[in-house]
Amino acid sequence: MYYFHLRDTDTVIDSEGTELANETAARDHAAGVARELTFKSVGMMQRQWSDWTLSVHDDKGAELFSFALSEYETGGK
Amino acid sequence: MERDLRQISLAQGTVIYEPGATLDTIYFPQGGLISLLVVTKEGGSIETATVGREGAVGLHAAIGRRRSFTLATTQIAGRFSIIRAARFEQIAADSRAVRELIARYTELLWAEAQQAAACNAVHDAASRLCRWLLQCADRIGSETVPLTQEFLAQMLGVRRTTVTLLAQTMQKKGLIKYSRGHIAILDRAAISACACECYHVLHADRLPAAIGISLEAHSGGGKTNGRV
């Protein structure tokens, strides 16, 4: 199980998690989520995507990797 | 027509029509909601229209043997009135008022599908989620929408993780309260402010009135806040 949290000064927790085969699949999934969140959008909670990080954790809570949402920003308003 | 209608209950996720299936029954939602979905060859799906108590699925079977272009599923469980298409065709042939209502509703559904196409192409996931929540609440007549995030993701054509993160954000801002399988709208005004323009075009003002179809909307109070 992998968990995908959003962080800047706030934290938005993925409480549900997603069953994925391995870390490579988790990276692909994270990239997809980032594209969906940033599509035609400039940010969240009145803050730009450049302020937000997507952080991926395993089911023990250890962070596996993270990246800035701005890396996936597409077609902002 | 009332004596020809039969009442049934359908669970969430019930497939009413597969793409290409012959329309042999007309479904009138009483408390549930039906989604019309386009399914991709990879197995993903995205909603193109919803049908609640304001309308019906399969109405155009009134003008002869017709097929479904989309996957029709029960998005929200509930009670439905149904009638055989052959009988409905007879009723429509005898009643100009019924034919007129069919034409008007079909016009609205067509407009909704067109709007959905534009919405999915140009509007962000958060705005579409807000629109969708209001649309569902209006059509089932309740500010609590009984849906899982998995189902919601399917309707919006995004990953469930994306819905979870957006829903958590909305919950942090006090717009909704989410508990397993239910989303309660707490601040309709704020959600309306976050919703894309498609909600207002299709539901709150212009199009339904122009066509002469009523889509009852709940009034809501509460603070107005910024975007998700």
Side-chain angles (χ1 to χ4, degrees):
Chain A
M1 188 76 87
Y2 295 85
Y3 296 84
F4 302 80
H5 309 311
L6 286 176
R7 267 204 327 263
D8 73 339
T9 52
D10 276 299
T11 303
V12 183
I13 296 294
D14 171 18
S15 53
E16 306 286 327
T18 302
E19 285 282 0
L20 294 161
N22 49 44
E23 190 171 320
T24 301
R27 286 184 184 274
D28 288 342
H29 188 83
V33 170
R35 281 191 290 269
E36 287 167 0
L37 285 173
T38 59
F39 177 73
K40 298 293 185 183
S41 169
V42 297
M44 181 185 279
M45 298 175 83
Q46 283 85 47
R47 293 192 289 282
Q48 304 282 330
W49 286 121
S50 55
D51 296 330
W52 289 92
T53 301
L54 185 68
S55 167
V56 184
H57 296 245
D58 64 18
D59 54 7
K60 296 179 179 58
E63 182 178 283
L64 301 173
F65 61 89
S66 66
F67 54 81
L69 269 291
S70 54
E71 290 182 30
Y72 286 88
E73 224 170 329
T74 51
K77 290 177 184 171
Chain B
M1 189 170 84
E2 203 164 339
R3 62 173 181 267
D4 294 298
L5 291 170
R6 193 162 61 89
Q7 309 301 316
I8 62 170
S9 292
L10 294 175
Q12 185 184 68
T14 302
V15 176
I16 294 171
Y17 286 114
E18 297 274 4
T22 301
L23 298 175
D24 56 12
T25 305
I26 318 299
Y27 291 78
F28 295 86
Q30 300 302 327
L33 201 66
I34 297 171
S35 273
L36 304 180
L37 303 157
V38 169
V39 182
T40 66
K41 63 181 181 182
E42 290 82 18
S45 64
I46 190 161
E47 187 181 72
T48 58
T50 53
V51 180
R53 56 191 181 164
E54 81 294 342
V57 169
L59 280 179
H60 53 296
I63 53 173
R65 189 178 167 88
R66 292 289 179 269
R67 295 187 180 277
S68 175
F69 291 112
T70 56
L71 173 67
T73 67
T74 312
Q75 185 185 104
I76 293 176
R79 301 280 297 169
F80 298 79
S81 299
I82 64 172
I83 183 172
R84 302 296 297 173
R87 176 60 186 136
F88 188 67
E89 187 178 354
Q90 290 173 340
I91 292 170
D94 293 339
S95 170
R96 181 176 175 172
V98 170
R99 293 195 302 276
E100 175 67 22
L101 200 56
I102 292 169
R104 281 193 274 139
Y105 182 69
T106 301
E107 191 178 1
L108 180 64
L109 205 60
W110 174 227
E112 182 174 339
Q114 291 178 298
Q115 192 75 29
C119 183
N120 295 332
V122 302
H123 292 148
D124 63 280
S127 300
R128 291 195 293 125
L129 174 57
C130 289
R131 174 203 29 110
W132 191 92
L133 283 174
L134 294 177
Q135 175 180 305
C136 270
D138 290 348
R139 288 183 164 171
I140 65 171
S142 171
E143 296 292 86
T144 298
V145 180
L147 274 179
T148 62
Q149 292 181 359
E150 189 67 52
F151 223 90
L152 201 38
Q154 198 177 49
M155 297 302 116
L156 295 174
V158 298
R159 290 166 176 77
R160 199 270 312 140
T161 305
T162 301
V163 170
T164 298
L165 293 172
L166 291 174
Q168 290 280 12
T169 305
M170 292 173 74
Q171 187 155 262
K172 283 168 82 75
K173 289 169 69 73
L175 273 59
I176 63 170
K177 180 174 172 54
Y178 178 76
S179 59
R180 286 230 170 261
H182 288 78
I183 301 173
I185 292 173
L186 301 181
D187 190 343
R188 177 177 264 267
I191 295 176
S192 182
C194 296
C196 61
E197 64 190 85
C198 303
Y199 173 70
H200 302 285
V201 169
L202 287 173
H203 302 276
D205 46 42
R206 302 195 294 272
L207 192 55
I211 293 175
I213 298 233
S214 171
L215 291 174
E216 295 175 311
H218 280 256
S219 60
K223 58 189 186 298
T224 302
N225 208 331
R227 302 194 61 76
V228 170

